[in-house]
Amino acid sequence: MEVQTALVLTIQLIALFSIAGALLLYLLCKVRGTRDDATGTQKGSILITCADTALGLQICTFFASKGHRVFAGMKDPVESLPAKLLRGWMKMRENSDTPVSGSVVPMKIDVTREDVLREAAESMGAHLNAGERGILAVINTAGSVYRGRIDSQDSLQWENMFKNNVMGCLRTARAFIGLLRPTRGRLILLGSGNDDDGLTVFMATRNAVQGCADALRKELRPYGVNVVTLDSRGVPAESLFKAPVPYTISDEEGVPTQYSADVLTSSALGVIERALYDSRPSETYCLSVPNSKFQMKLPCRSSLKISASRTDSKPIQSQYQQALNKAIAQMEINQKEPWHRDPDSGTDNEADRFNPKRELLRSWLNRLFRIKMTDGRILSGYFVCTDADANVVLQATSEFTEIGGEERVLGLVMIPGRYIVSIEERNPRFSW
């Protein structure tokens, strides 16, 4: 009997110690997880020098969603529209089912003023946690652009572009380099851009920034600070520095005005993320990701079939046309045999070669068109396809309320034919 009692007591003690051990392990894991949440949720602090623009706002919200503390530079961090939009975004995300793990700190920054930059650097140091020695990165989104021919521009516009784009870049580097050295952080600058008509002076400033970045890279390499440039070719110059675009979701009275800050695609934002996180960053990252805009389904029943039939077409155009052919085949259109070029003979099929309408449509591919709609809006984009109902698909599309008015970037759109008033070709074929 005593042996049995001792055995029962032993089993009970083992069970008790097992429960106690499991409870202790649970508590240890809980404490460790809480500590990680307190110290590791925010992945580091990032400065965006200008969140007054739609691009700056988009980058701020992107990295805040990734868990960073983002210092958002603004000329008026209290009463300006971008400041109110950021506060509203943070409040909305805090009340959502998936609250933001990062944070946004509006801060007064003007890259043209030395005193404001010094005060901002001191204020940022006061916001850092006890364990933070500096910031992870400075992303300079400040700048300005004026489009026009040299003989029609004012020299004050030139001075303003050089003051913001070039001198602002150097002032930013000098003001915040002390916060980048302890963390071996990164200085990310907007580099080369589109070499379009009317952007001679702007391109001169972008090339000057590229030269500054090369020189800064050599100077700061001993301190472990990497200088990275973002090649913005493929992004309209005006989109880099435009303000948030207002729009309404309903024509009813009392519906609040909303704002769009979508300048970059998700792929381009991923490029900036790689520029920040790569262990061995490249000197330059291109925001225009090849073929990213073509990974889509066509929203109309296209009667136009496309292939790489031009001898001067580039490989990316061939891949794009193959993707369109594949998408068209999946939509089960009436025509079952794709339009193709005979690789052996170098000529098109006999029926296609003598079809002037098909040749006309093919000549429109990747050309810039301006379409006026019945509601007065004007859409400008590169032609992709059309169908029997006169619906038109454009890529890299921008919307204007009037010619020369405020621009809103839309991307890939399908325009119903019944709403089209006029179509006008604007310039020669788009160069990839």
Side-chain angles (χ1 to χ4, degrees), residues 377-404:
R377 289 180 299 162
I378 298 173
L379 301 180
S380 178
Y382 294 94
F383 180 82
V384 175
C385 71
T386 185
D387 66 2
D389 297 325
N391 301 318
V392 177
V393 175
L394 301 180
Q395 65 182 345
T397 308
S398 298
E399 177 190 74
F400 303 87
T401 54
E402 58 183 5
I403 299 178

Side-chain angles (χ1 to χ4, degrees), residues 79-336:
E79 296 297 332
S80 66
L81 173 62
K84 295 178 180 178
L85 291 176
L86 273 181
R87 288 197 296 270
W89 180 81
M90 285 296 298
K91 186 175 181 180
M92 179 185 66
R93 294 300 298 265
E94 288 173 358
N95 297 329
S96 66
D97 296 334
T98 57
V100 178
S101 55
S103 61
V104 179
V105 182
M107 183 167 294
K108 184 175 182 179
I109 290 182
D110 186 349
V111 298
T112 64
R113 294 182 55 184
E114 298 275 358
D115 56 336
V116 174
L117 290 174
R118 282 195 299 268
E119 292 176 2
E122 295 174 359
S123 179
M124 287 173 59
H127 278 88
L128 298 179
N129 295 332
E132 287 186 286
R133 298 177 299 165
I135 61 177
L136 186 63
V138 174
I139 303 178
N140 184 30
T141 56
S144 60
V145 57
Y146 298 96
R147 184 184 290 269
R149 300 180 65 87
I150 287 184
D151 54 0
S152 64
Q153 283 186 321
D154 194 295
S155 59
L156 291 178
Q157 294 176 331
W158 303 350
E159 294 174 3
N160 185 273
M161 281 190 280
F162 275 95
K163 184 179 180 180
N164 283 277
N165 301 350
V166 184
M167 296 301 297
C169 167
L170 295 174
R171 289 193 181 99
T172 298
R174 180 170 64 181
F176 301 106
I177 196 63
L179 293 172
L180 292 175
R181 285 174 180 167
T183 60
R184 303 172 71 87
R186 295 183 185 179
L187 177 62
I188 302 178
L189 309 172
L190 291 175
S192 301
N194 292 327
D195 189 10
D196 295 338
D197 293 338
L199 294 178
T200 301
V201 180
F202 174 73
M203 285 306 302
T205 65
R206 299 323 312 169
N207 292 331
V209 170
Q210 190 71 44
C212 291
D214 295 338
L216 285 170
R217 188 176 297 114
K218 296 178 181 178
E219 181 177 333
L220 300 178
R221 184 176 292 120
Y223 303 102
V225 177
N226 292 292
V227 179
V228 177
T229 57
L230 301 175
D231 189 333
S232 60
R233 278 188 285 251
V235 181
E238 288 81 2
S239 297
L240 296 173
F241 310 113
K242 71 177 183 179
V245 179
Y247 69 94
T248 55
I249 58 177
S250 174
D251 296 333
E252 299 178 3
E253 294 184 2
V255 176
T257 301
Q258 299 193 18
Y259 292 82
S260 170
D262 293 335
V263 177
L264 301 179
T265 63
S266 58
S267 299
L269 290 173
V271 170
I272 300 178
E273 190 176 13
R274 286 197 296 108
L276 183 64
Y277 292 146
D278 282 354
S279 57
R280 293 184 178 180
S282 303
E283 295 181 355
T284 301
Y285 289 82
C286 185
L287 293 179
S288 180
V289 181
N291 285 338
S292 62
K293 65 181 72 175
F294 303 133
Q295 297 172 0
M296 46 73 182
K297 292 183 179 179
L298 294 179
C300 68
R301 296 179 291 105
S302 174
S303 59
L304 172 65
K305 294 190 174 184
I306 309 162
S307 69
S309 58
R310 293 184 61 90
T311 58
D312 59 348
S313 61
K314 297 182 179 180
I316 190 172
Q317 290 177 314
S318 176
Q319 295 174 10
Y320 161 52
Q321 291 168 341
Q322 292 173 6
L324 281 180
N325 276 339
K326 184 177 179 180
I328 293 170
Q330 292 174 349
M331 290 186 292
E332 298 180 354
I333 58 174
N334 294 330
Q335 297 174 339
K336 296 183 180 179

